[in-house]
Amino acid sequence: MLKNLCQKMFGRSLWVYHANSGGCNGCDIEVLNALTPYYDVERFGIKLVGSPRHADVMLCQGPAMRSTAQALKRAYDAMPAPKLVFAIGSCACGGGLWFDSYSVIGPVEKIIPVSYYIPGCPPRPEAIIYGVAVALGLVDKKTAPVAFKELELPIPQYHPGDLRGEGELVVYEKAEKV
Amino acid sequence: MSILSKLGETLVCLKAGRVTLPYPAEAKPLPEKFRGRPIFDATKCIGCAGCANNCPAREILVYDVCQEIRILKYLGRHCAYCGRCADVCPEKAITMSQEFENGTNQIGDIQQRLELFMSTCQRCGRCFKEPSVLEQLKMKGYRFDDLENERWIFRSQATLKGEPAVDDLKIELD
C-alpha cells in the first residue's frame, strides 16, 4: 500500500527536508555529499528544501534527544500529508552508541513514525541514494533477516524406545541406520 | 568583469570535465579496509560471547533458552560497524563484509540470529562448547551426563524460565 502510494504521490520528484535532532554531523556530511554534483541526486528529482512545509520526505539524523524531541515532532507535523520519514544512520535507527544515556530518548521512531531505515555509522552517500531508491521502488532491498537453526540431529540417535524383543533376543529396530 | 574573465571561467569549467559518479550504473570501488555489515558464521561460532562483551553498542545479545541451546542475536539497529567483534572473535567467525546498501523498510531485516548447540556444564548447568572434536560429537543429539552409570542422556526438552537479564530482549522485531 505504501509502495503504491509512493508511486502515485511521488511520481515526479521528492523534496527532502534535512532534520538533525542531535547527531554528531557525520550523517549530515554524508547527506550533503549525496546532494553535491559528485552524486547529483537531482538527476532523480531529489531536491533539498529549507522548510518542512515544502517537503515530502524528512531525512532524520541523530537520536531523539530530550531537548530536540518537541522540535522534531513540530517539524513532522508541519509537513503536508503524504509524507515519508527516513531514519539515516545508526543513531536515528536505534539510538546510537549512547542509546541509554540520560539525555537520549532513543530512536526517532519513538517520536515520529519512520517508514525507511538506512543503517550505517555513517552510511555512505551511495547507501543513502540506495535507500531512497528502495522507497521509490526503483530497486529491491538487499537485506533479509538471517536465522541459523541447528539441523535435526546430523547423526542417527539411539533410542531405547526402538528396542524390540525380550531377554537375549533384543533387537534394535533401526540398527542399519546407526 | 570583462569578457576575457568569462572566457577564462569557461576554460576552467571545460578543463574540470565531468565529476558526477555513475553510481546506480556502476559503483565506485570501495576502499580495501571498508567495514560494512558484520556477517556471523554459525558453523564456526563456539558461543563464547566475547563479541557480546566487547560490543560498545551492546548490540549482540547472548542468552540460553534451555540447557543445550544458546542463542546469539545481532540486532543491527545501532551498530557502529567498529569491527571490535571481528577483532576479538577467537574462531574468526565474524567477518566485516563490504555490504553497505542496507536500506530497508523494516528494521528487523538486518537482524541475525544464531541458534547454537552447546554442552551443559556439570557444575553450574550452563552452556559451554566442548574443546575437542570428539567431545563435540556429544552435542549432536545426546550428552554423556550420568557419570555414575556411564549412560547417554538425551537432550532435555525443558526450557529455562524467568525474566531475560537484558532489557533489549523485550524489543520485538518483526
Side-chain angles (χ1 to χ4, degrees), chain A:
Chain A
M1 199 193 87
L2 196 65
K3 199 178 168 187
N4 288 337
L5 187 130
C6 277
Q7 280 169 353
K8 271 189 186 172
M9 297 296 171
F10 304 138
R12 295 192 178 174
S13 61
L14 292 181
W15 284 15
V16 299
Y17 174 66
H18 174 196
N20 187 340
S21 58
C24 66
N25 270 145
C27 303
D28 279 325
I29 289 167
E30 299 297 319
V31 167
L32 292 180
N33 195 2
L35 296 165
T36 53
Y38 279 87
Y39 291 97
D40 199 15
V41 287
E42 292 201 14
R43 286 178 296 171
F44 314 115
I46 299 165
K47 193 190 162 200
L48 185 74
V49 292
S51 162
R53 290 184 196 281
H54 302 157
D56 301 311
V57 170
M58 188 187 223
L59 306 176
C60 283
Q61 293 111 39
M65 314 278 290
R66 271 181 209 287
S67 51
T68 55
Q70 285 310 310
L72 190 67
K73 178 83 178 137
R74 277 213 309 278
Y76 177 75
D77 290 340
M79 279 164 64
K83 49 192 168 187
L84 289 180
V85 176
F86 280 66
I88 292 178
S90 310
C91 293
C93 286
L97 282 187
W98 294 277
F99 63 99
D100 52 356
S101 163
Y102 68 95
S103 58
V104 176
I105 294 176
V108 286
E109 67 186 345
K110 287 197 175 176
I111 307 297
I112 53 179
V114 174
S115 23
Y116 285 93
Y117 300 87
I118 303 169
C121 192
R124 290 174 71 82
E126 287 103 326
I128 296 170
I129 295 170
Y130 193 87
V132 177
V134 166
L136 287 172
L138 301 174
V139 287
D140 292 330
K141 60 182 178 184
K142 285 185 182 175
T143 49
V146 177
F148 173 82
K149 265 195 175 182
E150 199 73 50
L151 289 172
E152 278 296 320
L153 308 182
I155 56 171
Q157 195 176 10
Y158 174 79
H159 201 278
D162 291 329
L163 291 175
R164 297 285 176 269
E166 285 178 3
E168 291 183 359
L169 290 170
V170 172
V171 180
Y172 186 60
E173 255 191 359
K174 299 176 180 170
E176 302 92 44
K177 289 183 187 171
V178 174

Side-chain angles (χ1 to χ4, degrees), chain A residues 90 109 117 142 148 158, chain B residues 77 79 101 104 109 113 154:
Chain A
S90 310
E109 67 186 345
Y117 300 87
K142 285 185 182 175
F148 173 82
Y158 174 79
Chain B
R77 287 172 71 95
C79 178
E101 291 159 335
T104 170
D109 281 353
R113 187 176 184 274
F154 295 97

Side-chain angles (χ1 to χ4, degrees), chain B residues 2 8 10 27 30 47 80 99 167 173:
Chain B
S2 66
T10 318
L30 291 167
E99 293 172 24
D167 214 25
L173 300 168

Side-chain angles (χ1 to χ4, degrees), chain B:
Chain B
M1 292 309 113
S2 66
I3 198 160
L4 275 177
S5 73
K6 293 291 175 196
L7 279 174
E9 246 177 57
T10 318
L11 273 178
V12 168
C13 289
L14 286 174
K15 204 176 172 186
R18 183 180 160 173
V19 293
T20 306
L21 301 168
Y23 165 61
E26 55 176 299
K28 192 175 143 192
L30 291 167
E32 213 171 85
K33 291 188 175 177
F34 178 78
R35 294 190 302 265
R37 202 159 64 102
I39 301 287
F40 290 74
D41 189 350
T43 53
K44 288 183 190 166
C45 181
I46 60 169
C48 66
C51 48
N53 286 334
N54 267 274
C55 183
R58 276 161 286 157
E59 190 67 326
I60 304 167
L61 309 173
V62 175
Y63 57 97
D64 302 341
V65 283
C66 67
Q67 286 196 334
E68 290 92 359
I69 291 176
R70 169 168 285 179
I71 285 182
L72 190 142
K73 207 175 194 180
Y74 165 75
L75 295 172
R77 287 172 71 95
H78 43 255
C79 178
Y81 306 97
C82 62
R84 278 203 213 176
C85 50
D87 280 350
V88 83
C89 185
E91 301 290 315
K92 304 291 171 215
I94 306 173
T95 46
M96 302 306 283
S97 70
Q98 300 233 325
E99 293 172 24
F100 62 90
E101 291 159 335
N102 298 328
T104 170
N105 55 351
Q106 282 178 336
I107 192 69
D109 281 353
I110 35 179
Q111 189 179 343
Q112 290 178 59
R113 187 176 184 274
L114 312 184
E115 211 169 85
L116 305 165
F117 227 53
M118 314 281 286
S119 297
T120 312
C121 175
Q122 294 285 322
R123 291 197 176 171
C124 64
R126 297 193 57 181
C127 299
F128 77 104
K129 183 83 168 184
E130 297 277 1
S132 77
V133 180
L134 192 63
E135 283 171 325
Q136 281 179 17
L137 275 177
K138 290 178 191 172
M139 293 187 291
K140 309 222 180 231
Y142 37 82
R143 56 201 168 97
F144 199 56
D145 242 0
D146 197 344
L147 289 178
E148 285 183 2
N149 303 320
E150 292 204 340
R151 248 184 3 187
W152 297 106
I153 291 183
F154 295 97
R155 60 180 269 223
S156 66
Q157 299 294 320
T159 50
L160 300 181
K161 293 274 164 61
E163 292 289 306
V166 193
D167 214 25
D168 273 8
L169 290 183
K170 289 172 192 163
I171 299 175
E172 260 316 306
L173 300 168
D174 42 352

